[in-house]
Amino acid sequence: MRRLIIILITAFAITINAAALHVPDIDVSENRDGRQLIIKTFSLLPSEDPEALIEEPFRREGFDYSFVSIVKYEKLFESKETHSETVTVETASDDLGEILGALDALIPYDDGTYSGKLALDHTTLRTEATGYSTRNYTVSDTKTYEGLDRNDPNFIPRTTVKNGVTLALQNIDWAPQGTAISGDSLVVTQYMATASYSAGTSRRVADGYVTTAVYSGEIVSSGIDSIVYTVTYIGEPIPSPEPMPEPEPAQEPEPEPEPDNDDSFAAILRICAGMLLLILTAIALYFILRNNTKIYATDSSEDEYELIGKQRISPRELMIDLLGCDRYPEGTAVIAIKRLTARRLFGRIIKIRLRNGSTTHMVEQVGNADYMFSVSTTEEG
């Protein structure tokens, strides 16, 4: 029983290690300038270690191969989007000049993935008061009355109105305006009165103003999509084996010993372990290589969606090719990714190949069901 457990654990470890190996995109054998070479090409993420691609010396088709070189090529990507941000500023007044002075013409944007400059859209400015307070103040006015025949206060109105506020008479200044000779004296015949009016009042004024503005612009995400490594091995012919010695005369075979029950049981366990290893390997390959993405499009009646293709997507292959479906989706395609796969791709950007170009989609929050999103195929390029 103990030996059986050890065999099962070993088989499981072998399966896991085999699944973790990098599979080359291209594996070719060629003779170049008299040298026998094997050239393997791999696509890795920037975070993966290329040293794991280099194999120990191995044999293939009559040659002993050893590592020669590894060449690196970076595949770049660039994605552009239009983005808007809302900004608020506070000012003491609602004067447009003061508001524009508090706003920048351009602001930087960087969310760790996309970056760029956003420009102020002047048509989006909205200004509101932050609050109101009551303030007391005095309203004053001065009136002049001319051509009065005497300096009698009764000639002067007791009130006047300015800006809708009734003001009361506060003071009168008299000045001669006309004179005449009476006997030997000069007498005043006309007077001019300067009347001062004032009144206390109050009004509600804004404590300040807050303005919201929208900045818009194009933001760009760029970087290394994947790295292609080309690993080269050079081969040397395997030496021919020495001639086999002449066979000795046949001898009578010795009688085989009776089979030991323990050895028979061990042989059965080895057979079972081998079968289990094959089964585990098949299951692992099934889960590794199976399609985990379905693509739907509307049918001819445009009333229902039908399945038009299945593909596989992984962190190493972030590509969905709509040209590889049974038919090309016209208008809109709905893409459904298995929940467990979508969780591994959370935050990653998927490239979708279209008829005349491509587009991208970033995997967002994944729930308890398959992750679904739609792609428009009407605006390609």
Side-chain angles (χ1 to χ4, degrees):
M1 186 66 182
R2 179 187 238 169
R3 294 181 64 185
L4 176 59
I5 294 174
I6 293 175
I7 292 172
L8 294 177
I9 293 175
T10 304
F12 182 75
I14 293 173
T15 303
I16 297 300
N17 291 333
L21 292 177
H22 294 287
V23 178
D25 301 326
I26 302 174
D27 185 342
V28 296
S29 175
E30 64 179 49
N31 190 291
R32 184 184 299 174
D33 299 329
R35 299 188 305 167
Q36 186 67 27
L37 304 177
I38 286 181
I39 302 173
K40 298 184 179 183
T41 302
F42 301 84
S43 295
L44 269 64
L45 297 176
S47 59
E48 294 182 288
D49 183 11
E51 292 297 326
L53 304 178
I54 301 175
E55 301 178 36
E56 295 294 330
F58 60 92
R59 287 187 174 186
R60 183 190 292 184
E61 298 176 351
F63 287 86
D64 284 323
Y65 287 93
S66 59
F67 170 75
V68 175
S69 65
I70 181 170
V71 179
K72 172 182 176 182
Y73 169 72
E74 296 180 348
K75 297 175 67 175
L76 305 179
F77 74 91
E78 182 176 88
S79 175
K80 297 182 179 180
E81 292 184 359
T82 299
H83 183 73
S84 297
E85 289 280 321
T86 300
V87 174
T88 61
V89 294
E90 294 188 5
T91 54
S93 71
D94 59 353
D95 178 70
L96 181 59
E98 182 179 354
I99 294 171
L100 292 177
L103 292 167
D104 296 324
L106 296 172
I107 61 173
Y109 176 84
D110 190 345
D111 63 0
T113 302
Y114 284 84
S115 62
K117 294 283 188 179
L118 306 181
L120 173 64
D121 184 354
H122 295 81
T123 63
T124 64
L125 297 181
R126 298 291 183 270
T127 302
E128 296 179 351
T130 58
Y132 291 90
S133 302
T134 300
R135 297 185 182 178
N136 298 321
Y137 65 100
T138 300
V139 179
S140 301
D141 198 7
T142 302
K143 299 289 186 180
T144 301
Y145 302 96
E146 300 179 348
L148 304 177
D149 56 3
R150 61 183 183 276
N151 55 349
D152 186 352
N154 292 322
F155 290 160
I156 308 304
R158 313 308 295 177
T159 61
T160 188
V161 177
K162 182 180 181 180
N163 297 333
V165 179
T166 300
L167 311 181
L169 179 63
Q170 302 295 326
N171 185 49
I172 304 173
D173 290 328
W174 297 95
Q177 192 176 23
T179 59
I181 299 175
S182 176
D184 295 332
S185 302
L186 184 65
V187 296
V188 178
T189 59
Q190 284 188 336
Y191 291 88
M192 180 180 67
T194 301
S196 299
Y197 298 86
S198 66
T201 187
S202 63
R203 65 178 177 179
R204 287 174 58 79
V205 295
D207 299 326
Y209 294 88
V210 60
T211 299
T212 60
V214 176
Y215 287 78
S216 300
E218 186 179 78
I219 55 177
V220 179
S221 175
S222 60
I224 301 174
D225 181 49
S226 63
I227 302 177
V228 177
Y229 292 94
T230 301
V231 185
T232 303
Y233 301 87
I234 189 169
E236 295 292 339
I238 299 174
S240 300
E242 297 181 359
M244 296 292 292
E246 291 294 330
E248 297 180 358
Q251 298 179 358
E252 289 294 329
E254 297 181 1
E256 295 183 359
E258 292 293 328
D260 191 343
N261 291 334
D262 291 339
D263 293 339
S264 300
F265 182 70
I268 294 173
L269 288 180
R270 286 194 293 271
I271 294 173
C272 293
M275 295 178 63
L276 179 60
L277 176 59
L278 291 176
I279 294 172
L280 291 175
T281 303
I283 294 173
L285 290 175
Y286 169 76
F287 282 103
I288 292 172
L289 302 177
R290 67 172 178 170
N291 293 324
N292 53 20
T293 302
K294 296 181 179 180
I295 304 169
Y296 299 86
T298 53
D299 57 15
S300 58
S301 64
E302 297 188 357
D303 292 333
E304 297 182 354
Y305 279 88
E306 63 178 0
L307 180 65
I308 62 171
K310 296 180 180 180
Q311 297 184 16
R312 172 170 177 76
I313 190 171
S314 69
R316 291 180 55 192
E317 292 292 336
L318 295 172
M319 164 73 81
I320 295 176
D321 188 357
L322 297 186
L323 299 179
C325 298
D326 295 340
R327 63 178 180 86
Y328 187 77
E330 300 292 345
T332 301
V334 176
I335 297 173
I337 302 176
K338 290 291 185 180
R339 174 171 54 88
L340 295 179
T341 301
R343 287 183 176 176
R344 295 174 59 202
L345 301 180
F346 175 71
R348 302 291 296 275
I349 295 177
I350 299 173
K351 185 175 182 181
I352 299 97
R353 184 183 178 194
L354 305 176
R355 178 177 290 159
N356 294 322
S358 64
T359 185
T360 59
H361 174 81
M362 185 173 73
V363 179
E364 299 174 345
Q365 188 65 38
V366 181
N368 294 324
D370 290 348
Y371 179 77
M372 303 182 69
F373 65 94
S374 60
V375 176
S376 174
T377 61
T378 57
E379 298 181 2
E380 304 172 359

